[in-house]
Amino acid sequence: MHCLKSLRTANLGILQLFKNAGISARVGADSSLTFPRTQGPVPFPCWVTGSPHTQRNFHHQQDPDIDQGHSKNRLMSSMEDLLFYTITDGKESIPLSQFISALRKTGLLTSDPRLRDTVYQMRQSTRDSIGPVLMDKELFRRCVGNNIMLLTKAFRKKFIIPDFEKFTHQIDKMYENAQKQEGGQVADYIPQLAKFSPDLWGVSLCTIDGQRHSVGDTKVPFCLQSCVKPLEYSIAVHELGSERVHNFVGKEPSGFKFNKLSLNEEGKYKPHNPMVNAGAIVISSLIKPHSNKAERFDYVMEFLKSMAGAEYVGFSNATFQSERETGDRNYAIGYYLKEKKCFPENADMIAALDFYFQLCSIEVTCESGSVMAATLANGGICPTTGNRVLSAEAVRNTLSLMHSCGMYDFSGQFAFHVGLPAKSGVSGAVLLVVPNVMGMICWSPPLDRLGNSVRGIHFCQELVSYFNFHNYDNLRHFTKKHDPRRRSDDDPNKSVVNLLFAAYSGDVSSLRRFTLSALNMEQSDYDSRTALHIAAAEGHVEAVIFLTETCKVNPHMRDRWGNTPLDDAMQFGHDVVASVLQNYQRVYTNFDSVGSGEEQKTSVDSLKSTV
């Protein structure tokens, strides 16, 4: 990188214009570069004059005992300015639609409950405007409001999946590949299920940070069927604890079909696990046993709505009636459980069966179901509301049983090949959880001979073959797979190169993005040359002003030849840059001598730590 030192500025025309105009660069109380009286003032770039830190730097005579609340306001204002100019690429305003598009690229939707105030302000401005709405700094501040931390995290690419747009592009490819799978039959033993088209196919995902993506038929309601089993089990454990629940149901895979009349006969008779019909029927008898039927159903519905972030959770009475009329096998299982005394004392077997049929008839969409899955992935906290819905114990136990027993007779092969907790249902749904990353719902009615969605299984297998989501994938040394959780700037050597080339080309937009992503703007290459050295040597005035006024980098750092950024600017004849650096050095030194320099030097670090 030391070869950059010998390169001349590529923007000689602008520099010559400055020289011809006879600029006398001084930093005044209005923080501007000033021409002689015959010329109009040329202001600093907008992102400098808008920064409260700039005015503070050049008015160091101000009372140092500033109120703490005022200091916090200045910090928040600086965060808003930096975020605004990062999104607008340095422009004073952009169309509102461009801001919404940039927001969606991070994975956040305008329907996100956390952005309610932001969306309200945007709609208000749209109603009050005659033509297209432009988002300027004032409107941006109104829209951001209390969401500054969330939005900063989003645009800093600090979510669990930093490059969400690239990730979802690959998800769309997998969706299209799975759509070509045409095997399987739609379940017909429950008449209502047979009415669904075999062409329906949708995939939705929600990360633990609330990033959302949907493709296909994701707004069509369908019944959870067996996908409700892990959810009702998690509710039971959350309310009663694992010890109480597992007095009545086991933890082992059965090795039989999900609706087989079979019990674990070691010791006390009980169903093998909560993921088969017998286990789910017993779990139904444990939830609010002393309440009436309506209260029990409402209780579970409210729980599921909380898991879904208040998104769609409905009920299909037609499917419920169809389940009751054709549920001879489940009635047989119920009487077998009653004979073997598997229910709690005084439990009503018929009431437990009706409740089980009701739970299987609860409707979701792929979109709302993905939030439920993400709540399990997030340790019981709903990503879109931030509310704790389930205890950590309930989530851990639920995911463990989903991993070992969730895919019917295919559970062992699914655990081997996919290695993730999942639960399938005869409606064609597959509820998939990538712990600490995201939850997904894949839905397509055609089933294979084991009762699993053909397209859903294909999608899950391709997902894990491309991304290292398998529970036992090595995250450090498995280079054949892609890790969407890894940031592109995780390599420190790459980040130094990117930073210095941005300074070399005078790319203030990239410098602004690096600052927002908490990159150390003072890092240097093997010649000890910093971004400020490069920008000064190239004569990029705006880049130098940004590095000094916004990033507060140290102007006294020397490269291996003993040169400071000011030395480089003077050596290559960049008078304007040299003048800016001379003034900044004086201010930087004065603050350091009076003890206030530490605060100014670390203002951006404070910003980063606050975020």
Side-chain angles (χ1 to χ4, degrees), residues 510-521:
S510 293
L511 294 175
R512 193 180 295 112
R513 283 195 297 272
F514 293 147
T515 303
L516 191 68
S517 63
L519 188 67
N520 178 13
M521 303 299 281

Side-chain angles (χ1 to χ4, degrees), residues 312-368:
Y312 177 78
V313 179
F315 176 72
S316 172
N317 186 59
T319 304
F320 169 60
Q321 297 298 335
S322 187
E323 289 258 19
R324 294 181 73 185
E325 292 170 2
T326 60
D328 294 339
R329 167 71 67 164
N330 285 320
Y331 279 108
I333 293 174
Y335 280 107
Y336 184 45
L337 292 169
K338 184 177 180 181
E339 177 200 357
K340 297 299 183 180
K341 296 180 170 45
C342 295
F343 289 106
E345 189 176 353
N346 299 323
D348 184 337
M349 185 268 292
I350 298 298
L353 273 170
D354 272 355
F355 190 32
Y356 170 69
F357 292 146
Q358 282 182 310
L359 297 183
C360 289
S361 303
I362 291 175
E363 285 186 335
V364 297
T365 63
C366 288
E367 294 179 0
S368 60

Side-chain angles (χ1 to χ4, degrees), residues 424-483:
S424 60
V426 293
S427 60
V430 177
L431 186 151
L432 182 73
V433 178
V434 184
N436 303 307
V437 179
M438 67 178 181
M440 301 185 73
I441 282 275
C442 311
W443 176 61
S444 179
L447 309 176
D448 60 21
R449 62 181 183 82
L450 299 176
N452 297 314
S453 170
V454 173
R455 293 189 181 108
I457 294 296
H458 184 278
F459 180 89
C460 293
Q461 290 175 336
E462 187 172 355
L463 177 76
V464 173
S465 67
Y466 188 86
F467 296 114
N468 59 352
F469 285 152
H470 192 293
N471 264 338
Y472 304 109
D473 278 339
N474 189 292
L475 300 181
R476 297 185 64 185
H477 306 297
F478 201 96
T479 57
K480 293 182 180 179
K481 289 188 180 182
H482 300 79
D483 188 357

Side-chain angles (χ1 to χ4, degrees), residues 72-186:
K72 181 179 180 181
N73 290 337
R74 289 191 293 105
L75 182 60
M76 296 301 291
S77 178
S78 178
M79 291 173 65
E80 291 171 354
D81 289 347
L82 186 58
L83 180 59
F84 174 76
Y85 289 115
T86 300
I87 296 171
T88 64
D89 202 19
K91 299 175 183 176
E92 282 298 310
S93 64
I94 58 172
L96 185 60
S97 58
Q98 185 176 332
F99 170 74
I100 295 174
S101 177
L103 191 65
R104 285 176 177 162
K105 288 180 180 179
T106 69
L108 294 179
L109 301 182
T110 53
S111 59
D112 194 311
R114 297 168 295 178
L115 298 177
R116 187 178 292 112
D117 293 340
T118 298
V119 173
Y120 173 80
Q121 290 293 339
M122 289 192 293
R123 287 176 177 168
Q124 191 74 23
S125 62
T126 302
R127 283 196 296 266
D128 296 342
S129 177
I130 299 175
V133 179
L134 291 178
M135 173 168 278
D136 55 13
K137 195 187 299 184
E138 180 182 353
L139 176 58
F140 180 76
R141 284 177 173 167
R142 290 206 312 269
C143 290
V144 167
N146 296 326
N147 294 319
I148 181 65
M149 297 302 179
L150 175 66
L151 294 176
T152 301
K153 187 177 180 182
F155 286 101
R156 286 177 65 199
K157 296 190 174 183
K158 289 294 185 179
F159 282 159
I160 187 67
I161 299 181
D163 195 344
F164 195 69
E165 190 176 20
K166 180 180 178 182
F167 174 71
T168 55
H169 179 69
Q170 190 61 40
I171 292 293
D172 291 345
K173 284 185 178 180
M174 296 176 184
Y175 169 86
E176 293 170 1
N177 293 338
Q179 193 170 27
K180 299 173 185 175
Q181 304 295 313
E182 296 180 349
Q185 297 292 324
V186 179

Side-chain angles (χ1 to χ4, degrees), residues 45-63:
C46 50
W47 38 261
V48 175
T49 56
S51 170
H53 292 290
T54 304
Q55 298 180 15
R56 170 80 183 275
N57 277 348
F58 294 105
H59 289 274
H60 57 271
Q61 296 86 355
Q62 185 175 335
D63 184 4

